[in-house]
Amino acid sequence: MDIKQRRREITELIDSIKEHSDDLTDRPHIPTLEFELILAKVEKLFKELVLFNHYYSEIETSSEKVEVNTTAAAKKTEAPSEKKTEVKKDSIQRTWPDLKNLIGINQKFQVVSELFKGNQEEFNDAVNQINTLYNKEEALIYVQGLKAAYGWKDESPVAEGFIKVVMNRYQ
């Protein structure tokens, strides 16, 4: 599914939630069934947004890499007197360690096999995305989205361990 189609689906879901909400505006009480339906739509929207961010953040990252490589090539061709000062997008250094270094080899194997259904690429994408987050709250929201999207069980010790490592990254 391409990015435009995914965005259209997300927009349609938002419109559906809005329409459903507008229909209930004049009612003094929202029936439980209606409430649960809206809640289910909101949960689906949350999952779709997390997946959208997860899958399409790689597109942005690769386009930034191309831009950086183009800039580096341009710098090589410039005369020394024509040097320009550039500010990188991520010029602010964060003190958070790389999540890849915090996960042991055995834990990584368990997480990939149990939480990401054996897909190493999706695990790497998730870890790279978590590495770009600025605080514990953003990371928790992202991990909760992954949990919902991949259907992690609440009582899973592997999921609990992975979430704990992610949260400990920000301490």
Side-chain angles (χ1 to χ4, degrees), residues 47-117:
K47 290 177 184 178
E48 289 294 323
L49 289 171
V50 167
L51 288 173
F52 179 84
N53 189 37
H54 176 71
Y55 289 120
Y56 295 108
S57 65
E58 286 301 310
I59 293 172
E60 291 177 8
T61 305
S62 33
S63 68
E64 287 175 9
K65 288 178 185 174
V66 169
E67 188 176 305
V68 169
N69 289 340
T70 307
T71 305
K75 282 184 179 180
K76 289 179 183 176
T77 60
E78 286 180 358
S81 61
E82 297 176 4
K83 286 187 179 178
K84 297 177 184 177
T85 306
E86 291 186 27
V87 178
K88 291 184 180 179
K89 186 176 182 181
D90 290 325
S91 61
I92 301 171
Q93 291 292 325
R94 286 173 264 151
T95 59
W96 313 125
D98 188 338
L99 188 59
K100 290 175 189 170
N101 298 333
L102 299 176
I103 300 173
I105 189 77
N106 290 337
Q107 185 179 22
K108 179 180 176 182
F109 177 76
Q110 287 180 318
V111 167
V112 169
S113 101
E114 290 183 34
L115 303 182
F116 291 91
K117 301 176 183 168

Side-chain angles (χ1 to χ4, degrees), residues 145-167:
L146 289 174
K147 181 179 178 183
Y150 288 100
W152 300 351
K153 295 179 181 168
D154 288 332
E155 62 277 352
S156 167
V158 176
E160 289 175 3
F162 179 67
I163 294 169
K164 184 177 180 180
V165 169
V166 171
M167 293 301 104

Side-chain angles (χ1 to χ4, degrees), residues 46 50 133 136-146 167:
F46 177 73
V50 167
L133 301 176
K136 186 184 271 191
E137 290 76 24
E138 286 182 2
L140 184 60
I141 290 169
Y142 182 74
V143 170
Q144 292 301 323
L146 289 174
M167 293 301 104

Side-chain angles (χ1 to χ4, degrees), residues 5-19:
Q5 185 178 357
R6 177 74 68 172
R7 284 184 176 170
R8 252 184 255 114
E9 286 183 6
I10 290 171
T11 302
E12 288 171 4
L13 190 54
I14 291 170
D15 291 342
S16 172
I17 294 168
K18 172 88 170 90
E19 287 173 19

